Amino acid sequence: MSPPVWETDPALLPVVVATVAATVTCVALHGEVVCRLSSWSKRTKLATRLVLPMSVLLLLVTHVGQVLIYAATHTGLDHLYGERVGVLAMSADGSLIERVYFSGVVFSTLGFGDIVPAGPIRLMVAVQAITGLMLIAWSAALTYS
């Protein structure tokens, strides 16, 4: 029997833990916002033409927060483990702003390709894209309903 993958690549375990933590945080945040927004929109006496834009703006702010959560997680992994967890081949300086940009591109599944992940961090990037797709679709479904 072969050893677990985190024994052959010990940098994978912190990436998996960080990915799970960031994803659970984002989904929980989104769930809370969606539940409160849904409840509020049913109780409010405001016109739909006010409720809908306010809801979209709140969901947009929520998505920006989720992008920031992943960007902070990328940055934290980089500061704690360095290149052992992988690198983001940056076209610029690798600053937090670059990571926020990268996180937004991944979360929205645009995938420009100007910043490319290498190493175990690719796992987080893949999960982030799937999570972003799901949460954006959830927001669209709520807005539609």
Side-chain angles (χ1 to χ4, degrees):
M1 190 160 103
S2 61
V5 69
W6 54 83
E7 287 182 9
T8 57
D9 188 358
L12 187 61
L13 186 59
V15 171
V16 169
V17 170
T19 300
V20 169
T23 303
V24 167
T25 302
C26 287
V27 171
L29 171 65
H30 201 79
E32 187 65 25
V33 168
V34 165
C35 287
R36 288 178 184 255
L37 190 55
S38 179
S39 174
W40 171 77
S41 66
K42 290 175 185 169
R43 291 189 330 263
T44 188
K45 298 194 186 310
L46 292 173
T48 303
R49 69 177 47 159
L50 292 175
V51 171
L52 192 56
M54 290 168 64
S55 299
V56 169
L57 284 172
L58 180 59
L59 290 168
L60 180 61
V61 168
T62 303
H63 289 302
V64 169
Q66 293 158 340
V67 165
L68 292 173
I69 288 168
Y70 276 106
T73 305
H74 294 163
T75 303
L77 279 172
D78 185 49
H79 286 304
L80 289 173
Y81 298 98
E83 292 185 4
R84 289 179 291 170
V85 294
V87 295
L88 299 178
M90 305 263 182
S91 58
D93 59 2
S95 66
L96 181 59
I97 295 299
E98 286 291 314
R99 291 177 189 280
V100 170
Y101 163 77
F102 173 72
S103 186
V105 168
V106 170
F107 191 84
S108 63
T109 68
L110 286 173
F112 290 137
D114 54 340
I115 300 175
V116 181
I121 196 76
R122 292 179 302 166
L123 173 69
M124 176 182 284
V125 172
V127 171
Q128 180 182 358
I130 294 166
T131 303
L133 181 65
M134 295 295 298
L135 296 181
I136 291 169
W138 189 2
S139 293
L142 174 71
T143 304
Y144 180 75
S145 69

